[in-house]
Amino acid sequence: QVQLVESGGGLVQAGDSLRLSCVASGGTLRTYTMGWFRQAAGKEREFVAVIRRSGGTYHADSVKGRFTISRDNAKNTVYLQLNNLKPEDTAVYYCAASLSWSTRWSDYGYWGQGTQVTVSS
C-alpha cells in the first residue's frame, strides 16, 4: 500500500512560484496515475492536474499555462510547479494515486496529508 507525503507549500505573494513535491513509499510510483487536487476553505475538492504512468499530462483550465505536473519515477516523486500564483490559488494541495486515468477525486484511492499554499495579493 503506497503512502504519499507532500511538501513545498508556503505563504507567497501573487506572481511568485512554488514547487510542490509528493514522495511515495511502500509502493512503486510508476505503477500509478498520479494526480494533484486542491481544496480551498469552504469549497469542494477540485482537480488540478494528472500525469499518466506513461508521462502524459492534463491540467485543469484554471491552471493551464501556469502549473505543470511532472514525475521522476527513479525518485518515486511527483511534482507540481506553480508559477504566476494568484490569490484564488490559495488552498490545501493534495497528491493522490490511482490505478486508472481520471480527473475525479473519488477515483483515487491513496492520498497524502496535504500541503497549504497561501497566496497574498
Side-chain angles (χ1 to χ4, degrees):
Q1 183 171 341
V2 65
Q3 291 88 43
L4 304 172
V5 178
E6 304 97 332
S7 62
L11 172 62
V12 298
Q13 294 186 333
D16 285 350
S17 297
L18 284 172
R19 189 175 80 158
L20 307 184
S21 299
C22 172
V23 179
S25 61
T28 304
L29 199 66
R30 68 179 75 238
T31 303
Y32 299 94
T33 287
M34 298 298 298
W36 282 97
F37 296 80
R38 66 185 181 185
Q39 188 165 17
K43 295 187 177 181
E44 293 189 354
R45 191 166 299 189
E46 66 171 352
F47 165 76
V48 176
V50 59
I51 186 165
R52 295 179 183 269
R53 286 170 285 186
S54 62
T57 63
Y58 179 73
H59 298 78
D61 287 344
S62 59
V63 306
K64 201 168 293 183
R66 299 189 299 122
F67 293 7
T68 303
I69 189 172
S70 62
R71 66 193 301 162
D72 186 337
N73 289 334
K75 295 183 178 180
N76 246 17
T77 302
V78 176
Y79 303 98
L80 187 67
Q81 179 67 41
L82 292 68
N83 295 331
N84 190 22
L85 281 159
K86 303 176 181 180
E88 52 263 42
D89 295 319
T90 295
V92 178
Y93 283 72
Y94 299 90
C95 74
S98 174
L99 293 175
S100 60
W101 169 266
S102 178
T103 62
R104 299 182 302 183
W105 66 264
S106 57
D107 288 333
Y108 286 74
Y110 303 99
W111 291 84
Q113 82 290 349
T115 185
Q116 176 72 47
V117 172
T118 303
V119 185
S120 63
S121 58

